[in-house]
Amino acid sequence: MTRVLVNGAGGFIAGHLVKRLKREGFWVRGVDLKRNEFSASPADELILGDLSDPRVAAEAVRGVEIVYQLAADMGGAGYIFTGEHDAAVMHNSCTINLNCLEYGRRAGVRKFFYSSSACMYPEYNQLDPDNPKCAEDSAYPAAPDSEYGWEKLFSERLYLAYMRNHGVQVRIARFHNIFGPEGTWCGGREKAPAAICRKVAEAPDGGSIEIWGDGKQTRSFLYIDECLEGVRRLVESDFTGPVNIGSDEMVTINRLAEMAIAISGKRLSVRHIDGPLGVRGRNSDNRLIREKLGWAPSAPLQSGLEKTYAWIEAQVPAAVAVGA
C-alpha cells in the first residue's frame, strides 16, 4: 500500500483529496493546523501542527513516498487583495514549502505534488475581461497582481530547483478558482462562488445582494471533483508541469450571481459596491492539459453551482443559530 502525505488536510481541496485517495486504496497521513470543520477526515493518521515548524514538517514526511502539498496561507479576494496580509501570506507559505521539500527529500520522498495558482499569471495579460491570456507559457515576464501570486511563482521555481538538484519527481498544477461543498463560505476568506451563494441564501425573497465592482470582471470556476481528477491524472503521469487545472467556461461575476439567484428560485436584485477585485479577466487555457494528459475538465458550471448552493443554503440556518 503506497503511503502518501496530504498537507492542508483540514482545508477544502486537500480534505476532499484525502477522501479520494482513501477510496483509491492509499495509506494517507494528513497534516493541518486544524481539523476539517465540515466532516471527519478518513485519513489513517492526522497530525495537528504547523508545517512552518521544522519539527512538524520532519514528522509529517517520515515514511511516505508521495507528498501532496496543498497547505498555504490564503483566501478569497477579501483576504488576498487588500494587502493587509501580504507578509503573513509570503512568510507562512514559503516556509511551509521550504520545510516540505528539504525534510521530504532527506526522508526519501520520491514525488511531490505542488498546488500553485492562476494568481501567478501576469496582470498585464488579464486586463481585458473578454480576452485574458493564461496559457502556461505566458508566465514570464512575471508580473502577478498580488504577493500571493509572487509567492506561488517563487515556490514553483523552488520545486523545480529541487527536482534538478536533488533528483526528486515534481508535479505542479495551477488551480483556477476551485469550488464546491465543504469549502469556506463565510468569515472573509471565502471565494466568489461561495460568497455569492451565501449572500443569495441569506437574502429574503424580493431583497438584494452586493457584488464588488461592476460585476463585469470575468473568471472561470472549477468544481472540486474535476479538480481532484486533474490532480490524480497529473501525479500518475510523466508530465512535470506546470499545467492549468481549471474550467475554460468563462463567466462574468454578474452572470455567476444570476445563476445562483436562479437556482435559489428567489427574486433578487444586485447592488454593486466598492471592494477588492483582483485582475479584470481570468480563464483557464486548457490546451496543454489536453495535449499532455489527454483530458480536460468538461462539467458545466451550472451543475457544480447547484450542488454548492444546496450545501451552503443548508449551512446558513445552523450558522445563524450559533451566532456565526
Side-chain angles (χ1 to χ4, degrees):
M1 183 181 291
T2 302
R3 295 168 65 92
V4 304
L5 169 67
V6 178
N7 292 335
F12 167 49
I13 302 175
H16 281 279
L17 178 60
V18 169
K19 295 176 184 177
R20 170 147 181 171
L21 290 170
K22 284 303 300 175
R23 290 195 301 268
E24 292 185 21
F26 290 89
W27 185 95
V28 181
R29 176 184 295 144
V31 184
D32 208 317
L33 287 167
K34 60 178 180 63
R35 297 182 186 274
N36 190 293
E37 60 185 300
F38 302 118
S39 63
S41 175
D44 297 277
E45 182 181 334
L46 187 63
I47 297 175
L48 294 179
D50 187 347
L51 286 161
S52 65
D53 182 337
R55 294 167 298 180
V56 175
E59 179 186 2
V61 296
R62 175 179 42 83
V64 301
E65 298 177 49
I66 304 172
V67 171
Y68 289 85
Q69 169 30 20
L70 292 91
D73 188 344
M74 57 86 67
Y79 184 76
I80 293 297
F81 297 119
T82 64
E84 298 172 2
H85 311 287
D86 287 350
V89 165
M90 298 191 80
H91 175 273
N92 296 343
S93 295
C94 284
T95 305
I96 288 170
N97 285 309
L98 286 162
N99 285 343
C100 175
L101 277 164
E102 180 58 20
Y103 290 100
R105 67 100 180 170
R106 292 185 193 179
V109 172
R110 64 178 176 83
K111 184 182 291 185
F112 295 85
F113 167 81
Y114 175 58
S115 59
S116 186
S117 167
C119 289
M120 49 68 58
Y121 283 116
E123 182 179 21
Y124 57 77
N125 281 336
Q126 301 172 89
L127 300 176
D128 182 349
D130 297 320
N131 297 287
K133 183 179 180 182
C134 294
E136 288 83 353
D137 61 3
S138 70
Y140 297 92
D145 71 327
S146 66
E147 302 303 342
Y148 174 75
W150 279 106
E151 182 277 319
K152 287 296 187 184
L153 191 61
F154 163 79
S155 293
E156 285 187 9
R157 298 184 70 93
L158 176 67
Y159 279 84
L160 294 171
Y162 264 73
M163 181 175 69
R164 291 193 305 272
N165 294 162
H166 296 295
V168 296
Q169 295 184 51
V170 167
R171 303 290 183 267
I172 299 172
R174 293 170 179 166
F175 288 165
H176 286 249
N177 296 309
I178 315 304
F179 76 102
E182 299 188 6
T184 300
W185 61 276
C186 63
R189 292 202 185 205
E190 66 274 20
K191 295 188 176 181
I196 288 176
C197 286
R198 185 200 75 241
K199 292 176 181 181
V200 171
E202 291 175 337
D205 193 18
S208 64
I209 64 169
E210 295 179 341
I211 288 180
W212 292 339
D214 61 10
K216 296 179 181 178
Q217 61 270 35
T218 56
R219 296 291 188 275
S220 64
F221 302 97
L222 183 66
Y223 189 64
I224 181 63
D225 290 353
E226 290 206 295
C227 172
L228 300 182
E229 182 67 20
V231 169
R232 291 292 297 123
R233 286 173 179 260
L234 177 61
V235 170
E236 296 298 327
S237 78
D238 294 327
F239 182 52
T240 296
V243 66
N244 290 327
I245 294 184
S247 169
D248 56 8
E249 181 185 350
M250 188 173 72
V251 297
T252 65
I253 301 301
N254 284 335
R255 176 58 186 151
L256 182 68
E258 291 171 1
M259 294 172 72
I261 291 170
I263 290 168
S264 76
K266 298 179 182 179
R267 294 171 293 108
L268 301 175
S269 59
V270 172
R271 292 185 293 115
H272 296 96
I273 63 171
D274 290 336
L277 301 177
V279 296
R280 192 63 176 159
R282 177 174 290 147
N283 190 31
S284 183
D285 185 320
N286 286 349
R287 289 174 294 178
L288 185 62
I289 195 171
R290 288 192 183 96
E291 174 190 339
K292 298 297 185 179
L293 302 186
W295 173 89
S298 60
L301 173 60
Q302 177 74 25
S303 63
L305 199 61
E306 289 172 355
K307 297 171 187 174
T308 304
Y309 181 82
W311 181 82
I312 291 177
E313 184 182 37
Q315 306 306 305
V316 170
V320 171
V322 299

